[in-house]
Amino acid sequence: VKPVSLPTVEKSGRKTPEKAAPKRPSSRLRYNGRRSPAAEVELHVTGSLPSLQQTLKEISILFPPNASEFCVELADNRRSLSALLRLLKDQRPRLKIRCVGFRLSSELSHLALMRAQSVATAVGEALTEDPRFHHEGLLPRALVRAESYPDGHTSCAAGGGCGAKVTVEALTELVPVYGPLPRELAANSAQVGLYFASKSVELTCETSTILREVARFLKANAPRPVTIEGHSDRSEASDLGSARARVVLKELTRLGVPERLLKSIGRGSNCPLSRHSAVNRRVEIFLEQ
């Protein structure tokens, strides 16, 4: 005769109900487009490889004295532009660059910035023709910044020509590569970032989660200046980008990052990253040398 297992009986004579396994609370945050049981953020630093920096250091685009328009007819300029485009295409969309304009001491002060803007425009137009950017919905203008050298000119003698140029630097960016995404952005397969709701400067729960990890990173590594760039989409007021950058600066300060290391600037809608408006409502964090 096979033994029969009897149900456990309480004093009342009724079966003891089996206890249901406790339900794990579902995360309210979406991580790279899917549910995650725990808040987790991973950061990478882009543009910091010595080999990349050395390659960019060798790129120099020359200008005739008193000229501000990029001259592609010069063989050296064609080679420099081709090398720069290959880098940006191979490492899209993580690599961002800064075009820095110089002038001769004998030239007008605004020429340095005009030269940098001319090169940035040429780079953006060339990348726009690449079908990979169109297929991936990327706008090349987000990858290029234009600035002038702080002194406006180099130490070259007037008329020597070595100051009439544009050099290229890699922007060292602190990028979240894994973390929470707002539902709207997860639906569009967007990359993780510091995003904001339309016409808002309030930190979302997703952005706040990422900023906590950003603060930990900045406090754990050697102190260095940080530039916080705020952006808006075309339907928003142009000063929203600046306001978003200031909000992020204030939050990082609250989280323990020294305020003296932080600087906020606004780019308005001048550097759109995508055709999706939600992706352009963002803040980016750059580590300065």
Side-chain angles (χ1 to χ4, degrees):
V1 179
K2 292 184 179 181
V4 178
S5 58
L6 299 176
T8 303
V9 180
E10 293 183 326
K11 291 182 180 180
S12 62
R14 291 176 297 179
K15 290 183 182 179
T16 303
E18 294 182 1
K19 291 183 178 180
K23 291 184 178 180
R24 299 182 69 178
S26 61
S27 171
R28 297 181 62 188
L29 304 180
R30 287 189 173 272
Y31 285 70
N32 291 33
R34 62 186 184 275
R35 294 284 184 182
S36 172
E40 183 181 348
V41 176
E42 182 181 346
L43 303 175
H44 280 188
V45 177
T46 65
S48 60
L49 288 176
S51 58
L52 172 65
Q53 294 177 349
Q54 182 59 38
T55 300
L56 290 175
K57 194 175 293 185
E58 296 170 359
I59 295 176
S60 183
I61 297 172
L62 305 177
F63 287 77
N66 299 311
S68 62
E69 292 299 317
F70 172 66
C71 183
V72 74
E73 283 77 18
L74 294 176
D76 287 343
N77 285 355
R78 286 199 301 273
R79 284 193 291 269
S80 294
L81 181 62
S82 297
L84 187 54
L85 293 175
R86 280 197 301 272
L87 277 176
L88 289 169
K89 290 175 183 178
D90 291 343
Q91 303 197 33
R92 68 188 189 284
R94 290 305 188 187
L95 176 62
K96 297 184 177 72
I97 61 169
R98 176 192 290 128
C99 297
V100 184
F102 294 80
R103 67 177 177 87
L104 296 169
S105 58
S106 60
E107 294 178 318
L108 297 175
S109 59
H110 65 273
L111 275 178
L113 181 58
M114 290 180 67
R115 285 167 176 158
Q117 292 171 336
S118 175
V119 172
T121 299
V123 170
E125 290 176 350
L127 292 177
T128 301
E129 298 173 0
D130 191 308
R132 289 173 293 184
F133 280 83
H134 179 75
H135 175 72
E136 295 167 8
L138 299 173
L139 298 180
R141 280 182 293 172
L143 308 182
V144 188
R145 308 288 187 270
E147 298 178 9
S148 60
Y149 189 71
D151 294 337
H153 63 273
T154 65
S155 59
C156 301
C162 57
K165 64 180 181 180
V166 169
T167 61
V168 182
E169 303 171 355
L171 289 170
T172 304
E173 186 177 4
L174 187 57
V175 178
V177 294
Y178 181 81
L181 266 175
R183 184 180 298 272
E184 178 183 8
L185 287 145
N188 290 322
S189 301
Q191 296 184 355
V192 181
L194 300 168
Y195 298 113
F196 288 76
S198 178
K199 299 178 175 60
S200 172
V201 298
E202 293 185 8
L203 296 175
T204 64
C205 57
E206 294 88 357
T207 293
S208 295
T209 299
I210 295 173
L211 284 177
R212 286 194 290 272
E213 186 61 32
V214 169
R216 280 194 288 269
F217 176 93
L218 295 176
K219 290 186 292 183
N221 291 273
R224 58 193 297 186
V226 176
T227 298
I228 303 167
E229 268 192 13
H231 302 265
S232 57
D233 68 43
R234 295 178 60 184
S235 69
E236 298 177 314
S238 59
D239 60 349
L240 261 183
S242 299
R244 286 166 176 159
R246 289 194 298 270
V247 167
V248 168
L249 186 152
K250 184 177 179 180
E251 178 66 5
L252 290 176
T253 302
R254 187 189 70 81
L255 292 169
V257 181
E259 188 174 2
R260 60 182 172 80
L261 297 176
L262 306 177
K263 178 182 72 172
S264 67
I265 62 173
R267 297 286 185 184
S269 58
N270 295 322
C271 299
L273 184 61
S274 170
R275 294 178 178 83
H276 300 294
S277 295
V279 178
N280 297 324
R281 302 190 293 264
R282 70 195 192 279
V283 160
E284 296 171 329
I285 296 179
F286 298 98
L287 307 177
E288 303 296 340
Q289 300 298 328

mmCIF file of all heavy atoms in Angstrom, residues 131-162:
data_model
loop_
_atom_site.group_PDB
_atom_site.id
_atom_site.type_symbol
_atom_site.label_atom_id
_atom_site.label_comp_id
_atom_site.label_asym_id
_atom_site.label_seq_id
_atom_site.Cartn_x
_atom_site.Cartn_y
_atom_site.Cartn_z
ATOM 1 N N PRO A 131 24.267 58.290 -46.103
ATOM 2 C CA PRO A 131 22.962 57.635 -45.896
ATOM 3 C C PRO A 131 22.815 56.996 -44.525
ATOM 4 O O PRO A 131 21.706 56.806 -44.038
ATOM 5 C CB PRO A 131 22.921 56.573 -47.007
ATOM 6 C CG PRO A 131 24.349 56.362 -47.412
ATOM 7 C CD PRO A 131 25.023 57.680 -47.206
ATOM 8 N N ARG A 132 23.929 56.666 -43.864
ATOM 9 C CA ARG A 132 23.841 56.043 -42.541
ATOM 10 C C ARG A 132 23.244 57.005 -41.524
ATOM 11 O O ARG A 132 22.492 56.600 -40.637
ATOM 12 C CB ARG A 132 25.224 55.555 -42.099
ATOM 13 C CG ARG A 132 25.734 54.361 -42.861
ATOM 14 C CD ARG A 132 27.157 54.028 -42.496
ATOM 15 N NE ARG A 132 28.088 55.061 -42.940
ATOM 16 C CZ ARG A 132 29.413 54.969 -42.812
ATOM 17 N NH1 ARG A 132 29.930 53.897 -42.225
ATOM 18 N NH2 ARG A 132 30.190 55.932 -43.237
ATOM 19 N N PHE A 133 23.580 58.273 -41.632
ATOM 20 C CA PHE A 133 23.012 59.252 -40.709
ATOM 21 C C PHE A 133 21.514 59.399 -40.944
ATOM 22 O O PHE A 133 20.730 59.491 -40.005
ATOM 23 C CB PHE A 133 23.714 60.601 -40.878
ATOM 24 C CG PHE A 133 25.028 60.687 -40.172
ATOM 25 C CD1 PHE A 133 26.178 60.187 -40.757
ATOM 26 C CD2 PHE A 133 25.124 61.252 -38.908
ATOM 27 C CE1 PHE A 133 27.395 60.255 -40.113
ATOM 28 C CE2 PHE A 133 26.336 61.322 -38.249
ATOM 29 C CZ PHE A 133 27.474 60.819 -38.854
ATOM 30 N N HIS A 134 21.117 59.407 -42.219
ATOM 31 C CA HIS A 134 19.696 59.525 -42.531
ATOM 32 C C HIS A 134 18.934 58.301 -42.044
ATOM 33 O O HIS A 134 17.855 58.415 -41.450
ATOM 34 C CB HIS A 134 19.502 59.694 -44.039
ATOM 35 C CG HIS A 134 18.073 59.809 -44.453
ATOM 36 N ND1 HIS A 134 17.327 60.947 -44.267
ATOM 37 C CD2 HIS A 134 17.234 58.894 -45.023
ATOM 38 C CE1 HIS A 134 16.104 60.750 -44.705
ATOM 39 N NE2 HIS A 134 16.012 59.519 -45.167
ATOM 40 N N HIS A 135 19.512 57.109 -42.262
ATOM 41 C CA HIS A 135 18.851 55.866 -41.858
ATOM 42 C C HIS A 135 18.685 55.789 -40.347
ATOM 43 O O HIS A 135 17.666 55.312 -39.838
ATOM 44 C CB HIS A 135 19.649 54.667 -42.367
ATOM 45 C CG HIS A 135 19.119 53.344 -41.916
ATOM 46 N ND1 HIS A 135 17.939 52.809 -42.407
ATOM 47 C CD2 HIS A 135 19.591 52.452 -40.999
ATOM 48 C CE1 HIS A 135 17.713 51.648 -41.828
ATOM 49 N NE2 HIS A 135 18.695 51.404 -40.972
ATOM 50 N N GLU A 136 19.683 56.273 -39.604
ATOM 51 C CA GLU A 136 19.644 56.201 -38.141
ATOM 52 C C GLU A 136 18.958 57.404 -37.505
ATOM 53 O O GLU A 136 18.851 57.475 -36.279
ATOM 54 C CB GLU A 136 21.081 56.067 -37.612
ATOM 55 C CG GLU A 136 21.750 54.763 -38.041
ATOM 56 C CD GLU A 136 23.255 54.771 -37.805
ATOM 57 O OE1 GLU A 136 23.744 55.724 -37.162
ATOM 58 O OE2 GLU A 136 23.924 53.827 -38.259
ATOM 59 N N GLY A 137 18.491 58.331 -38.331
ATOM 60 C CA GLY A 137 17.775 59.488 -37.798
ATOM 61 C C GLY A 137 18.646 60.476 -37.062
ATOM 62 O O GLY A 137 18.161 61.248 -36.231
ATOM 63 N N LEU A 138 19.948 60.482 -37.364
ATOM 64 C CA LEU A 138 20.880 61.372 -36.665
ATOM 65 C C LEU A 138 21.080 62.660 -37.445
ATOM 66 O O LEU A 138 21.148 62.656 -38.673
ATOM 67 C CB LEU A 138 22.235 60.675 -36.479
ATOM 68 C CG LEU A 138 22.231 59.395 -35.655
ATOM 69 C CD1 LEU A 138 23.603 58.740 -35.718
ATOM 70 C CD2 LEU A 138 21.862 59.700 -34.212
ATOM 71 N N LEU A 139 21.206 63.768 -36.724
ATOM 72 C CA LEU A 139 21.493 65.055 -37.344
ATOM 73 C C LEU A 139 22.940 65.432 -37.011
ATOM 74 O O LEU A 139 23.281 65.627 -35.840
ATOM 75 C CB LEU A 139 20.520 66.120 -36.833
ATOM 76 C CG LEU A 139 19.047 65.853 -37.157
ATOM 77 C CD1 LEU A 139 18.169 66.965 -36.608
ATOM 78 C CD2 LEU A 139 18.832 65.721 -38.666
ATOM 79 N N PRO A 140 23.807 65.545 -38.035
ATOM 80 C CA PRO A 140 25.236 65.757 -37.803
ATOM 81 C C PRO A 140 25.578 67.028 -37.035
ATOM 82 O O PRO A 140 26.639 67.118 -36.428
ATOM 83 C CB PRO A 140 25.817 65.806 -39.225
ATOM 84 C CG PRO A 140 24.841 65.051 -40.062
ATOM 85 C CD PRO A 140 23.507 65.347 -39.454
ATOM 86 N N ARG A 141 24.687 68.035 -37.062
ATOM 87 C CA ARG A 141 25.008 69.288 -36.374
ATOM 88 C C ARG A 141 25.242 69.086 -34.881
ATOM 89 O O ARG A 141 25.909 69.892 -34.235
ATOM 90 C CB ARG A 141 23.888 70.306 -36.593
ATOM 91 C CG ARG A 141 23.947 71.011 -37.939
ATOM 92 C CD ARG A 141 22.842 72.032 -38.053
ATOM 93 N NE ARG A 141 21.533 71.415 -38.097
ATOM 94 C CZ ARG A 141 20.386 72.081 -38.036
ATOM 95 N NH1 ARG A 141 20.400 73.389 -37.882
ATOM 96 N NH2 ARG A 141 19.240 71.458 -38.110
ATOM 97 N N ALA A 142 24.697 68.017 -34.328
ATOM 98 C CA ALA A 142 24.878 67.762 -32.893
ATOM 99 C C ALA A 142 26.294 67.321 -32.556
ATOM 100 O O ALA A 142 26.691 67.353 -31.391
ATOM 101 C CB ALA A 142 23.891 66.699 -32.431
ATOM 102 N N LEU A 143 27.071 66.923 -33.565
ATOM 103 C CA LEU A 143 28.389 66.361 -33.314
ATOM 104 C C LEU A 143 29.506 67.400 -33.368
ATOM 105 O O LEU A 143 30.648 67.089 -33.046
ATOM 106 C CB LEU A 143 28.694 65.254 -34.336
ATOM 107 C CG LEU A 143 27.647 64.154 -34.491
ATOM 108 C CD1 LEU A 143 28.117 63.118 -35.491
ATOM 109 C CD2 LEU A 143 27.330 63.508 -33.147
ATOM 110 N N VAL A 144 29.201 68.627 -33.782
ATOM 111 C CA VAL A 144 30.246 69.620 -34.033
ATOM 112 C C VAL A 144 29.940 70.914 -33.281
ATOM 113 O O VAL A 144 28.812 71.414 -33.318
ATOM 114 C CB VAL A 144 30.374 69.922 -35.542
ATOM 115 C CG1 VAL A 144 31.590 70.804 -35.807
ATOM 116 C CG2 VAL A 144 30.466 68.637 -36.347
ATOM 117 N N ARG A 145 30.953 71.449 -32.603
ATOM 118 C CA ARG A 145 30.866 72.756 -31.955
ATOM 119 C C ARG A 145 31.888 73.679 -32.607
ATOM 120 O O ARG A 145 32.919 73.231 -33.101
ATOM 121 C CB ARG A 145 31.160 72.670 -30.453
ATOM 122 C CG ARG A 145 30.341 71.634 -29.695
ATOM 123 C CD ARG A 145 28.889 72.059 -29.552
ATOM 124 N NE ARG A 145 28.156 71.146 -28.689
ATOM 125 C CZ ARG A 145 27.518 70.071 -29.094
ATOM 126 N NH1 ARG A 145 27.556 69.733 -30.380
ATOM 127 N NH2 ARG A 145 26.840 69.316 -28.241
ATOM 128 N N ALA A 146 31.608 74.968 -32.610
ATOM 129 C CA ALA A 146 32.522 75.960 -33.183
ATOM 130 C C ALA A 146 32.846 77.000 -32.127
ATOM 131 O O ALA A 146 31.950 77.594 -31.532
ATOM 132 C CB ALA A 146 31.897 76.621 -34.409
ATOM 133 N N GLU A 147 34.144 77.197 -31.899
ATOM 134 C CA GLU A 147 34.591 78.186 -30.920
ATOM 135 C C GLU A 147 35.842 78.872 -31.448
ATOM 136 O O GLU A 147 36.491 78.395 -32.373
ATOM 137 C CB GLU A 147 34.896 77.513 -29.568
ATOM 138 C CG GLU A 147 33.693 76.851 -28.923
ATOM 139 C CD GLU A 147 34.038 76.165 -27.610
ATOM 140 O OE1 GLU A 147 35.187 76.358 -27.133
ATOM 141 O OE2 GLU A 147 33.189 75.442 -27.080
ATOM 142 N N SER A 148 36.200 79.990 -30.835
ATOM 143 C CA SER A 148 37.439 80.673 -31.193
ATOM 144 C C SER A 148 38.429 80.552 -30.050
ATOM 145 O O SER A 148 38.046 80.377 -28.888
ATOM 146 C CB SER A 148 37.172 82.149 -31.502
ATOM 147 O OG SER A 148 36.621 82.803 -30.372
ATOM 148 N N TYR A 149 39.696 80.612 -30.390
ATOM 149 C CA TYR A 149 40.737 80.546 -29.373
ATOM 150 C C TYR A 149 40.571 81.725 -28.416
ATOM 151 O O TYR A 149 40.287 82.848 -28.859
ATOM 152 C CB TYR A 149 42.107 80.584 -30.053
ATOM 153 C CG TYR A 149 43.260 80.308 -29.121
ATOM 154 C CD1 TYR A 149 43.465 79.040 -28.612
ATOM 155 C CD2 TYR A 149 44.145 81.319 -28.758
ATOM 156 C CE1 TYR A 149 44.527 78.772 -27.767
ATOM 157 C CE2 TYR A 149 45.210 81.067 -27.912
ATOM 158 C CZ TYR A 149 45.393 79.789 -27.412
ATOM 159 O OH TYR A 149 46.437 79.537 -26.564
ATOM 160 N N PRO A 150 40.704 81.503 -27.115
ATOM 161 C CA PRO A 150 40.426 82.574 -26.153
ATOM 162 C C PRO A 150 41.148 83.885 -26.432
ATOM 163 O O PRO A 150 40.572 84.964 -26.317
ATOM 164 C CB PRO A 150 40.900 81.967 -24.822
ATOM 165 C CG PRO A 150 40.732 80.501 -25.015
ATOM 166 C CD PRO A 150 41.039 80.238 -26.451
ATOM 167 N N ASP A 151 42.416 83.825 -26.861
ATOM 168 C CA ASP A 151 43.162 85.051 -27.138
ATOM 169 C C ASP A 151 42.854 85.630 -28.507
ATOM 170 O O ASP A 151 43.260 86.737 -28.820
ATOM 171 C CB ASP A 151 44.677 84.791 -27.045
ATOM 172 C CG ASP A 151 45.088 84.438 -25.624
ATOM 173 O OD1 ASP A 151 44.349 84.805 -24.694
ATOM 174 O OD2 ASP A 151 46.130 83.794 -25.463
ATOM 175 N N GLY A 152 42.136 84.846 -29.335
ATOM 176 C CA GLY A 152 41.784 85.337 -30.658
ATOM 177 C C GLY A 152 42.889 85.182 -31.689
ATOM 178 O O GLY A 152 42.654 85.255 -32.875
ATOM 179 N N HIS A 153 44.146 85.000 -31.285
ATOM 180 C CA HIS A 153 45.227 84.840 -32.246
ATOM 181 C C HIS A 153 46.352 84.041 -31.599
ATOM 182 O O HIS A 153 46.388 83.859 -30.390
ATOM 183 C CB HIS A 153 45.760 86.205 -32.711
ATOM 184 C CG HIS A 153 46.360 87.014 -31.599
ATOM 185 N ND1 HIS A 153 45.602 87.829 -30.804
ATOM 186 C CD2 HIS A 153 47.633 87.121 -31.143
ATOM 187 C CE1 HIS A 153 46.391 88.417 -29.903
ATOM 188 N NE2 HIS A 153 47.618 88.005 -30.082
ATOM 189 N N THR A 154 47.261 83.547 -32.424
ATOM 190 C CA THR A 154 48.417 82.820 -31.905
ATOM 191 C C THR A 154 49.592 83.768 -31.779
ATOM 192 O O THR A 154 49.491 84.957 -32.036
ATOM 193 C CB THR A 154 48.789 81.666 -32.858
ATOM 194 O OG1 THR A 154 49.218 82.234 -34.096
ATOM 195 C CG2 THR A 154 47.609 80.753 -33.107
ATOM 196 N N SER A 155 50.727 83.225 -31.410
ATOM 197 C CA SER A 155 51.917 84.055 -31.256
ATOM 198 C C SER A 155 52.660 84.247 -32.573
ATOM 199 O O SER A 155 53.766 84.787 -32.587
ATOM 200 C CB SER A 155 52.865 83.409 -30.236
ATOM 201 O OG SER A 155 53.224 82.111 -30.672
ATOM 202 N N CYS A 156 52.051 83.813 -33.677
ATOM 203 C CA CYS A 156 52.720 83.931 -34.974
ATOM 204 C C CYS A 156 52.866 85.396 -35.365
ATOM 205 O O CYS A 156 52.028 86.227 -35.031
ATOM 206 C CB CYS A 156 51.923 83.203 -36.057
ATOM 207 S SG CYS A 156 51.687 81.456 -35.711
ATOM 208 N N ALA A 157 53.888 85.677 -36.098
ATOM 209 C CA ALA A 157 54.086 87.046 -36.579
ATOM 210 C C ALA A 157 53.024 87.386 -37.602
ATOM 211 O O ALA A 157 52.537 86.533 -38.343
ATOM 212 C CB ALA A 157 55.477 87.173 -37.199
ATOM 213 N N ALA A 158 52.642 88.642 -37.623
ATOM 214 C CA ALA A 158 51.610 89.088 -38.564
ATOM 215 C C ALA A 158 52.044 88.776 -39.993
ATOM 216 O O ALA A 158 53.173 89.040 -40.386
ATOM 217 C CB ALA A 158 51.382 90.594 -38.395
ATOM 218 N N GLY A 159 51.118 88.218 -40.762
ATOM 219 C CA GLY A 159 51.406 87.907 -42.155
ATOM 220 C C GLY A 159 52.056 86.559 -42.345
ATOM 221 O O GLY A 159 52.259 86.120 -43.463
ATOM 222 N N GLY A 160 52.407 85.871 -41.260
ATOM 223 C CA GLY A 160 53.084 84.584 -41.391
ATOM 224 C C GLY A 160 52.167 83.468 -41.842
ATOM 225 O O GLY A 160 52.624 82.481 -42.392
ATOM 226 N N GLY A 161 50.872 83.592 -41.617
ATOM 227 C CA GLY A 161 49.908 82.614 -42.089
ATOM 228 C C GLY A 161 49.626 81.479 -41.142
ATOM 229 O O GLY A 161 48.635 80.787 -41.282
ATOM 230 N N CYS A 162 50.495 81.237 -40.134
ATOM 231 C CA CYS A 162 50.287 80.065 -39.285
ATOM 232 C C CYS A 162 49.162 80.281 -38.289
ATOM 233 O O CYS A 162 48.694 79.328 -37.670
ATOM 234 C CB CYS A 162 51.577 79.694 -38.553
ATOM 235 S SG CYS A 162 52.257 81.013 -37.551
#
